[in-house]
Amino acid sequence: MVKTQAVVLRRRDLKERDKLLTLYTQEHGKLTVRAIGAKKIESKLGGHVEPFMRTEVCLVTSKTIDILAGAQVVEAYPQLRSSISGTHAAQYLMEVVDQLTPDGQQEPSVYELLCSGLDILNQQSRVNFLTVQATVLKILGRLGFEPELDKCVHCALPTVSGDYLFNVSAGGVTHSRCGGDITWAAPQVQFETIKSLRFSLRSPLDAMASLRLSPIIWEQLNTCIDQLVLTHSRKPIRSRLFLAQAN
């Protein structure tokens, strides 16, 4: 028997009575477990394993798929669930973590970041989408996908002013003159966007709501983070479209 805390990334029906849950756990990374009888109305499990709930779970391990033996909700994030934009934001974070993380790889810092992001968003009267994107950027960094923002990845000169290219395939920002034949594939960004990416990556999540960005810098920041996610995920993040509509 294994007891741990987990965030429910997604769930889907399995046969007539059961559900298959994808959990991101505090101690064991991402796990897929079977919740026997969870589809039944009278099930004691159902209300504790809704998507983006933080739950304490008891698992029975097996050679095929672990079985959910018990669950007790720790945090349901009611403020997020009360609005369409909050639900879309939470669903986006769940899908990003699901797509970016391999099964069974322990990453406690990713779990803590995910919980912190949900906690802060749940306290906001109106969803701050920069908090959402900063959470994603920090998770990318913890998984080893942090872009180089302090210097050009080609010539190694520091980023200090002017316009740059955000070249995901090269690992970060490049001077426009260093772009070569990748210019068409790498979006141009202003230095202010690079500073905003640094701030989002290195500052506490609860500081994001105080950051004010112009529309063009916000658009460029979104483009950079979206390209990072798309490059390192296994497939496109479907919930990103709904998040953009809610923003």
Side-chain angles (χ1 to χ4, degrees):
M1 183 81 71
V2 174
K3 180 179 287 188
T4 186
Q5 284 200 12
V7 175
V8 182
L9 300 181
R10 61 188 170 108
R11 68 176 190 177
R12 53 200 184 276
D13 293 341
L14 182 67
K15 297 185 177 181
E16 295 181 0
R17 301 169 53 235
D18 305 343
K19 286 188 178 293
L20 205 60
L21 307 176
T22 302
L23 309 175
Y24 201 83
T25 69
Q26 188 173 27
E27 299 170 355
H28 308 284
K30 189 172 70 175
L31 300 175
T32 299
V33 304
R34 183 173 183 172
I36 297 175
K39 286 178 64 177
K40 298 169 64 176
I41 297 176
E42 65 272 19
S43 172
K44 296 180 180 179
L45 296 174
H48 298 273
V49 288
E50 297 290 325
F52 67 90
M53 277 184 175
R54 181 155 55 98
T55 301
E56 187 170 279
V57 296
C58 291
L59 306 174
V60 177
T61 59
S62 72
K63 293 181 179 179
T64 53
I65 186 169
D66 294 348
I67 304 298
L68 182 68
Q72 178 63 51
V73 64
V74 175
E75 177 57 71
Y77 303 108
Q79 179 68 21
L80 279 174
R81 295 178 190 278
S82 68
S83 70
I84 293 175
S85 59
T87 300
H88 287 333
Q91 288 175 335
Y92 175 59
L93 291 178
M94 299 304 104
E95 191 174 358
V96 165
V97 172
D98 190 15
Q99 292 299 326
L100 288 177
T101 57
D103 293 336
Q105 181 173 308
Q106 184 180 8
E107 290 286 355
S109 60
V110 172
Y111 176 83
E112 296 300 331
L113 270 174
L114 181 59
C115 291
S116 295
L118 291 170
D119 287 340
I120 292 169
L121 289 167
N122 190 61
Q123 295 166 13
Q124 297 172 347
S125 58
R126 184 177 180 181
V127 172
N128 177 263
F129 290 97
L130 181 54
T131 303
V132 179
Q133 289 289 56
T135 303
V136 171
L137 186 59
K138 288 175 182 292
I139 288 173
L140 283 161
R142 297 295 174 88
L143 292 171
F145 304 135
E146 180 177 330
E148 175 58 62
L149 300 171
D150 295 318
K151 62 181 183 294
C152 173
V153 296
H154 285 294
C155 69
L157 289 175
T159 50
V160 290
S161 63
D163 291 339
Y164 293 83
L165 299 173
F166 190 78
N167 184 1
V168 176
S169 61
V173 295
T174 67
H175 291 105
S176 297
R177 64 179 181 272
C178 297
D181 59 0
I182 56 82
T183 303
W184 64 272
Q188 190 172 56
V189 296
Q190 298 178 20
F191 180 59
E192 192 65 30
T193 301
I194 296 174
K195 291 197 297 182
S196 299
L197 286 166
R198 289 175 185 166
F199 184 86
S200 301
L201 190 60
R202 300 166 187 174
S203 300
L205 278 175
D206 56 10
M208 294 303 110
S210 64
L211 187 61
R212 298 291 180 263
L213 304 178
S214 69
I216 188 170
I217 300 304
W218 170 239
E219 181 180 354
Q220 289 180 1
L221 182 141
N222 271 300
T223 298
C224 292
I225 296 175
D226 288 347
Q227 284 207 357
L228 279 167
V229 172
L230 184 60
T231 298
H232 298 296
S233 62
R234 294 189 295 273
K235 58 184 179 180
I237 307 297
R238 293 182 299 173
S239 57
R240 180 64 179 92
L241 175 62
F242 300 109
L243 184 67
Q245 293 172 346
N247 184 5

